[in-house]
Amino acid sequence: MSPDVVHVGIDVSSQSLDAHLLADAFREPNTATGVRKLLKRITRHAGSVHVICEATGGYERTLVAALHAQNISVSVINPRLARDFARAQNRLAKTDCIDAAVLADYGRAMRPAPTAPPEASAQRLAQLVSQRDSLVEERARHKTRLRQASDVWLRNQIKRLIANLDAEIIKLETLMRKTAAANAELAGKAARIDEVAGIDWRSALCLCAHMPELGSLKRTQAAALAGLAPF
C-alpha cells in the first residue's frame, strides 16, 4: 500500500458514526443521510484514503456498502484487534472519538487488507443469519420466562410464542440452505467447514456469513480475524 494513503478511523454504533481523519474528528448519525455526509467529507481529502472500522453486528453495513460503491478502500476488523492494539499502547481511555483515533492508528501501523465487497448471495446469507440469531436469542428469553412463570395462562402464551419462533427459525434455516446452495463457492466453503468435527451445517453457514474471508486468508490471518492471534 502507498505510504501516501491516509487511514480514516470510524467508530460505528447503532446511532452514530465517529470519524477521525488526520487531525479532524467529526460525527454523523448512522443513517443513509449521515453516511452520505461522512463520505462527502472523506472524499474532500486530496489523497487516497483507507477506512478502518469494526464489525459491529450489522450496524456498519450501510457505511461499508457506501464505501464500496464509491471505490473507497475499507477494512472491517475484529473489535478485539483494536482493543488489544490500544492496550499495547497503554491507551485505556475509551470514548467514541478516542476509539476512532485508535482505529486510524491501527490502520497506519498494521496496514490491514481491504475487505472485499460481498457477493449478493453472501450478503443475503449474512442478513438471514443475523435474523436467525435474533430469533434464537428471543426464543431463549421466552424459555427462561417459561421456567419462571407460574400462571397457567401466561405459560400457555409463552409456549405459543416459542412454537411460533420455532417455525420462523425453521423457515430462516431453509432459506439459509437454499441461499448457500445457489452459490457454488459459498456451498463449497460451507461444506468444507461442516467437515470439521463439532461443527454442523448451521454453524458452518453462520461462520460463512460472519467471516466471509474464511478460505481466502492465510492461517495466521484467519486466526487474527477470529481474534485468536490479535498480534
Side-chain angles (χ1 to χ4, degrees):
M1 183 178 291
S2 169
D4 297 328
V5 172
V6 172
H7 289 86
V8 182
I10 301 181
D11 184 71
V12 180
S13 71
S14 61
Q15 300 296 320
S16 62
L17 302 166
D18 286 86
H20 185 92
L21 170 59
L22 298 175
D24 190 16
F26 52 93
R27 169 180 285 190
E28 296 290 351
N30 192 357
T31 61
T33 300
V35 168
R36 285 196 298 270
K37 290 181 178 179
L38 186 146
L39 262 62
K40 189 174 181 180
R41 296 187 69 163
I42 288 176
T43 52
R44 284 178 191 160
H45 182 72
S48 178
V49 297
H50 184 159
V51 172
I52 313 295
C53 66
E54 296 174 332
T56 57
Y59 294 131
E60 79 286 356
R61 284 188 190 132
T62 301
L63 170 66
V64 172
L67 289 166
H68 281 144
Q70 293 286 330
N71 293 318
I72 298 173
S73 294
V74 55
S75 295
V76 183
I77 67 170
N78 187 313
R80 186 179 298 177
L81 301 181
R83 288 197 301 270
D84 289 337
F85 179 79
R87 290 193 192 103
Q89 297 181 314
N90 199 32
R91 297 168 72 171
L92 305 181
K94 186 171 175 60
T95 66
D96 293 340
C97 184
I98 290 174
D99 288 346
V102 167
L103 288 169
D105 289 344
Y106 178 90
R108 283 190 290 272
M110 306 305 292
R111 302 296 176 105
T115 300
E119 295 182 357
S121 55
Q123 195 167 16
R124 189 183 190 206
L125 178 62
Q127 293 172 351
L128 293 173
V129 168
S130 179
Q131 177 68 359
R132 178 189 176 276
D133 290 345
S134 297
L135 295 188
V136 168
E137 290 176 5
E138 185 177 351
R139 182 177 62 183
R141 288 193 293 269
H142 282 307
K143 287 182 176 180
T144 298
R145 294 190 186 99
L146 181 61
R147 290 193 295 269
Q148 298 169 345
S150 57
D151 184 88
V152 174
W153 190 91
L154 287 177
R155 287 181 60 84
N156 288 333
Q157 184 195 54
I158 294 171
K159 288 178 181 178
R160 290 194 299 271
L161 291 171
I162 292 173
N164 184 57
L165 286 169
D166 285 339
E168 294 301 320
I169 289 169
I170 289 172
K171 291 177 186 177
L172 281 168
E173 291 177 346
T174 301
L175 263 179
M176 285 163 54
R177 300 191 80 165
K178 287 182 178 178
T179 301
N183 183 296
E185 182 180 353
L186 197 56
K189 186 185 296 184
R192 290 193 298 273
I193 296 173
D194 192 14
E195 292 174 357
V196 178
I199 296 183
D200 64 0
W201 65 266
R202 293 178 185 84
S203 299
L205 291 181
C206 288
L207 284 170
C208 287
H210 293 310
M211 300 170 68
E213 299 86 351
L214 284 176
S216 60
L217 301 178
K218 296 178 182 178
R219 186 173 181 177
T220 53
Q221 290 175 316
L225 177 69
L228 302 175
F231 295 106

